[in-house]
Amino acid sequence: MIAVRLLGAQSVATVGGAEITSVSAQPKRMALLAFLGLATGSGDGFVSRDTIQALFWPESDQQHARNSLNQFVFQLRTALGSDALVSRGQDRLGLDPALVSVDGREFRAAIAGGDLERAVTLYGGEVLPGFHLGGSVEWEHWLDGERHWFREQAREAALELARQAIGSGDRTAAVRWSGRAVEIDADAAPAAEELRAEIQEVEQHPHSGSGGVPPTIRAGGAPDQAAEPVPSRRRQPVAFAALLIGCLVVVGLLLTGLDRGSPPSVDTLGTGPRLAILPVEDLTGDSAGAYLVEGLHSALIAETGRLGRVLVTPRTSIAAVHDRGLALDSIAAALRVDLVLEPVVRRIGDSIGVEIRLLDPVSGETLWDKRSWTSRANWLELVERLPKVVAREITTQMDPKAELAPVEPRPLDPAAVAAYLRGEALRHVWGLDSLKLAHYDEALRIEPGYAEAHLARARVLHNAGGWFGHRAAASALPEAVTALERAIEIDPDLAEAHLVLANLKFHYFFDWATAEREYRVALEINPGLAEARIHYGNFLRAMRRVEEGVRQIELARDLDPLDGDIWAELAVQYNTLGRSEAARVAAARAAELAPESGAVMLANAFRLYERGDVAEAAAMMESAGRLAFAAKMHASGGSRHRALQLVDSLEGMANRNTLAIAGTYLVLGDTAAAIEWLERGWDERDSNLIWLNSAVHSEVDGHQPMASNWPRFGMHGHPRVQAILARMKFPEPPPRPR
């Protein structure tokens, strides 16, 4: 038996305690062993070679990455024993648990099995403390995520043990476990203080505790289907009178709020009900299934929104209020919604239950609910099917006349669904493109007709080749279009697929007519897709239809009122329209909501620039990674040397911003270099050139610069600039109203 320690230590030793330094002292071998030890601690215990290659050798082609992996597998088998690493088929690897014990894997099993005391005992500290692996940013991101997860689980386990000790009257144990929680994570201090206060309260009033009623369990450990499942911690069971009130609320919404015909116009939000779907409350204690719980939440939002009858609040604003511990009516007021959907997942024995309630946030009453139980073996199938059923049932509750097609089961292989959801669990994590693509490619290898996986793959490629990506547009974006066209061919009602296709037609292909059509199709399918409104608003600005664009972004703000980036975008665009007071208010709101976001820092930098603090504004842009704006600010402020240094950096980037480079040279007085870079941008299909039209014509259109003293691009009459505009075939904007 080989013992691998990862929690609070880095050790690989034989059963007799002899350290195997050929692994533990070799960083990449140790990193690979750690990944296999933790990544195979859930699911079927195996991980694909493609996933490993994408994580450890992201810059290598497939052949070189596979050769490198084979060498490391050989080295590990030589050091640990030929049977320690086992294969499943040709493409999956794992560790034999009978031959290799991993403290992190045992920790996962203890958490999943509810053995909290063993889990806390196993947690000796963060995963691989002080360990660093050069040359693989994506592996470092993975390690950071593992450290966060293990620390959070250990902290919560210790706090739960303290709560249990309070309930059983064991003050000494309660103090010990709450202290251990703080040792694990200093952020547990407030919760530990609350527990200590509770200990004192119990000591002073020993008979004042409250009890809970456990679920009815049959002898075999399965839930009694005739018994009422344990209610959510947020809400008590509802009486018949309350249900009657809830029904009247729904009827009122039907009579006053919902257009019973077609969805609202793309240019309005209509008057239909607005719904917030709270994050799924996970009471399973099974951390290995966290990606399924996250997938359930994402699917509930997507499926309800795509029916076009209910405006679903985006995740950004939901996340902003969910962790504040607000009452239901306060959440609804902050999000400006009429209804709240509360999903809960729980486990009893080998059964998984999902309880979903539609709540009136004012009265707190349940208007509709649904309970579904399945075995753990069928959990994937439930996650894939249930959101479609729930979306239709909620919609027909609100609009009985809605004619919705019934849910047809999709015969998707569970392994494909699992791979897709593992990729989706990383969706909002910056970077990790290779790892995400590996998961989506695995899903498509198993199920070539998986529309959502094609879309997800295209989304990653679009981000990689976009403005702030790391790949040249020409190497990523055409491949993304192919994936999107396949997704739409399989499922024409994927609103996000139409959105990403519109972005690509806008940013890379300069196909203005198709881009606008696809934006509008996306919004016709899902009027509540705030992201589509933001991108469509920017498209309209590039087409010199700024007022229309601002209106779309205002609609996005109304849908997603707590997204600081949207407020920052509005601050910039209000400035363009000369609405200085509205710009000031929007910038202040943006800074309040998301002070460290790139968009908010951009809006703040323009305000600094406008009041003459040019050096400070440029420094802020550099710290935010917005080198294009920083270069132009330095140039206009007289810091020629620093401006040229930044231009040097910009010129060397894979997806360089030729418009920004040209603009900086223009401010520095080098018109010839500016023209040359614009022409190079056309040759390279630089997506930043979409702003050339509005930049050149801003004075003609009567629009203000982004700051009152911001240097204008000008060059409206230059023949070579006009030649580029002619090649790009920008349409003439409609006449502005007088």
Side-chain angles (χ1 to χ4, degrees):
M1 171 68 78
I2 304 295
V4 179
R5 284 195 63 195
L6 304 174
L7 302 178
Q10 175 184 327
S11 173
V12 183
T14 65
V15 69
E19 184 72 16
I20 305 175
T21 56
S22 60
V23 177
S24 61
Q26 297 293 322
K28 203 146 194 174
R29 294 178 198 174
M30 187 66 206
L32 178 56
L33 180 62
F35 179 72
L36 289 170
L38 298 181
T40 61
S42 59
D44 64 357
F46 291 84
V47 64
S48 74
R49 286 175 177 265
D50 286 343
T51 297
I52 299 171
Q53 290 163 199
L55 200 64
F56 284 87
W57 298 279
E59 303 304 324
S60 299
D61 60 54
Q62 187 170 11
Q63 185 60 48
H64 284 90
R66 184 159 288 249
N67 290 341
S68 298
L69 176 58
N70 288 339
Q71 290 176 20
F72 276 89
V73 168
F74 174 77
Q75 291 162 355
L76 286 178
R77 282 176 170 155
T78 300
L80 305 178
S82 58
D83 295 330
L85 265 72
V86 292
S87 301
R88 172 167 289 182
Q90 296 295 314
D91 295 317
R92 296 170 70 74
L93 289 172
L95 296 176
D96 186 341
L99 299 177
V100 182
S101 70
V102 183
D103 57 358
R105 187 159 57 185
E106 293 173 16
F107 178 94
R108 286 192 195 276
I111 290 289
D115 190 348
L116 303 184
E117 187 166 346
R118 174 161 171 72
V120 176
T121 302
L122 282 166
Y123 188 78
E126 76 170 9
V127 179
L128 291 176
F131 188 89
H132 174 71
L133 182 67
S136 181
V137 174
E138 300 204 351
W139 188 86
E140 296 285 353
H141 281 303
W142 171 82
L143 179 59
D144 286 343
E146 291 296 290
R147 286 170 172 165
H148 175 79
W149 184 86
F150 276 91
R151 182 171 61 251
E152 184 179 70
Q153 294 296 317
R155 177 193 70 213
E156 292 304 312
L159 290 172
E160 180 59 28
L161 287 168
R163 294 185 191 102
Q164 292 175 11
I166 292 172
S168 64
D170 189 344
R171 179 187 185 281
T172 302
V175 171
R176 183 177 76 252
W177 289 121
S178 62
R180 178 70 179 117
V182 177
E183 288 176 7
I184 292 168
D185 187 350
D187 288 346
E193 285 300 320
E194 289 181 10
L195 289 173
R196 292 186 186 111
E198 192 172 334
I199 293 169
Q200 294 175 358
E201 177 70 18
V202 170
E203 288 176 338
Q204 294 171 10
H205 307 284
H207 303 295
S208 63
S210 60
V213 181
T216 304
I217 305 293
R218 295 185 179 181
D224 186 344
Q225 299 295 335
E228 175 74 13
V230 182
S232 162
R233 292 182 297 193
R234 300 193 192 98
R235 193 65 51 202
Q236 294 300 316
V238 181
F240 174 77
L243 286 174
L244 180 59
I245 294 171
C247 291
L248 292 174
V249 172
V250 170
V251 171
L253 284 170
L254 289 177
L255 293 177
T256 62
L258 188 66
D259 176 5
R260 296 191 178 109
S262 58
S265 160
V266 165
D267 301 312
T268 71
L269 295 180
T271 56
R274 301 190 183 194
L275 174 70
I277 302 178
L278 298 181
V280 180
E281 186 175 8
D282 185 2
L283 303 181
T284 64
D286 184 1
S287 59
Y291 74 101
L292 294 174
V293 175
E294 174 68 18
L296 177 63
H297 185 231
S298 296
L300 285 168
I301 291 174
E303 292 296 332
T304 308
R306 77 187 293 187
L307 295 180
R309 305 291 180 129
V310 181
L311 296 172
V312 183
T313 300
R315 297 167 58 100
T316 317
S317 288
I318 293 171
V321 298
H322 182 254
D323 295 332
R324 296 184 194 170
L326 299 178
L328 200 62
D329 56 348
S330 298
I331 289 176
L335 298 179
R336 305 175 189 170
V337 297
D338 307 299
L339 302 164
V340 174
L341 196 73
E342 183 186 67
V344 180
V345 177
R346 61 183 87 252
R347 187 183 75 182
I348 301 179
D350 195 42
S351 296
I352 297 285
V354 181
E355 177 184 355
I356 299 177
R357 296 183 177 187
L358 182 67
L359 302 169
D360 170 19
V362 177
S363 67
E365 310 305 343
T366 299
L367 309 178
W368 169 92
D369 65 1
K370 186 176 187 67
R371 297 172 177 84
S372 298
W373 285 89
T374 190
S375 66
R376 292 183 70 185
N378 293 327
W379 182 203
L380 268 169
E381 179 185 344
L382 186 65
V383 171
E384 204 281 324
R385 177 184 57 83
L386 185 62
K388 297 178 175 62
V389 174
V390 169
R392 280 157 176 77
E393 291 188 10
I394 290 173
T395 301
T396 53
Q397 283 285 321
M398 296 179 182
D399 184 3
K401 294 186 177 181
E403 297 181 4
L404 302 175
V407 175
E408 296 182 5
R410 295 194 298 180
L412 291 174
D413 189 308
V417 177
Y420 167 73
L421 290 176
R422 288 187 187 281
E424 288 294 276
L426 302 172
R427 177 174 178 176
H428 302 286
V429 179
W430 182 85
L432 302 182
D433 289 350
S434 297
L435 185 56
K436 294 171 191 174
L437 285 174
H439 287 308
Y440 299 138
D441 286 344
E442 174 72 2
L444 290 169
R445 182 186 66 79
I446 301 167
E447 288 286 356
Y450 200 160
E452 289 89 346
H454 283 291
L455 163 60
R457 191 172 187 281
R459 189 175 57 232
V460 174
L461 290 168
H462 174 233
N463 291 338
W467 287 325
F468 304 109
H470 61 278
R471 288 178 59 177
S475 74
L477 301 189
E479 188 180 348
V481 170
T482 301
L484 286 169
E485 289 173 344
R486 179 65 178 133
I488 292 171
E489 177 187 353
I490 298 167
D491 186 349
D493 290 333
L494 279 177
E496 194 186 351
H498 290 280
L499 164 60
V500 180
L501 182 58
N503 284 341
L504 287 167
K505 293 296 185 181
F506 172 30
H507 296 161
Y508 182 70
F509 291 94
F510 306 152
D511 183 351
W512 321 121
T514 302
E516 181 157 20
R517 183 180 70 241
E518 291 297 321
Y519 282 128
R520 296 185 75 85
V521 168
L523 289 168
E524 285 165 4
I525 295 170
N526 185 356
L529 193 60
E531 186 183 2
R533 295 194 179 277
I534 295 166
H535 287 291
Y536 185 34
N538 277 311
F539 168 84
L540 292 168
R541 178 157 67 103
M543 298 298 109
R544 298 166 58 195
R545 293 154 60 187
V546 179
E547 291 84 354
E548 291 179 68
V550 169
R551 177 58 185 149
Q552 286 295 331
I553 296 175
E554 287 173 335
L555 294 174
R557 174 207 56 200
D558 293 345
L559 289 163
D560 203 357
L562 302 182
D563 186 335
D565 285 358
I566 297 178
W567 285 97
E569 181 71 33
L570 280 174
V572 173
Q573 298 215 26
Y574 284 150
N575 253 342
T576 301
L577 293 176
R579 296 168 58 184
S580 55
E581 178 57 22
R584 185 193 64 76
V585 171
R589 183 62 171 144
E592 176 188 349
L593 291 170
E596 296 182 359
S597 89
V600 172
M601 291 176 76
L602 176 62
N604 288 339
F606 276 125
R607 300 193 75 77
L608 286 170
Y609 183 94
E610 189 165 43
R611 72 185 192 200
D613 297 327
V614 177
E616 188 179 349
M620 181 178 287
M621 287 293 86
E622 286 195 51
S623 68
R626 302 291 183 93
L627 301 188
F629 287 106
K632 197 167 181 178
M633 287 175 175
H634 279 302
S636 64
S639 301
R640 182 182 182 87
H641 179 69
R642 185 56 184 156
L644 288 172
Q645 283 182 322
L646 293 178
V647 165
D648 249 2
S649 298
L650 291 168
E651 289 176 1
M653 291 180 176
N655 55 350
R656 54 196 175 192
N657 185 338
T658 57
L659 183 65
I661 295 170
T664 305
Y665 276 123
L666 200 60
V667 175
L668 291 171
D670 193 342
T671 304
I675 296 292
E676 181 184 332
W677 274 101
L678 289 177
E679 291 174 337
R680 192 176 298 184
W682 164 255
D683 293 337
E684 295 175 2
R685 307 288 293 188
D686 177 14
S687 60
N688 292 283
L689 281 190
I690 60 176
W691 303 117
L692 180 62
N693 190 34
S694 56
V696 168
H697 291 96
S698 63
E699 285 187 90
V700 176
D701 294 338
H703 293 144
Q704 304 298 316
M706 288 181 278
S708 59
N709 48 347
W710 185 250
R712 290 187 180 271
F713 200 89
M715 305 184 75
H716 173 258
H718 198 291
R720 287 167 68 184
V721 173
Q722 286 298 318
I724 296 171
L725 293 174
R727 289 186 205 127
M728 297 184 75
K729 298 179 181 178
F730 283 105
E732 281 297 316
R736 297 181 67 197
R738 300 195 176 201

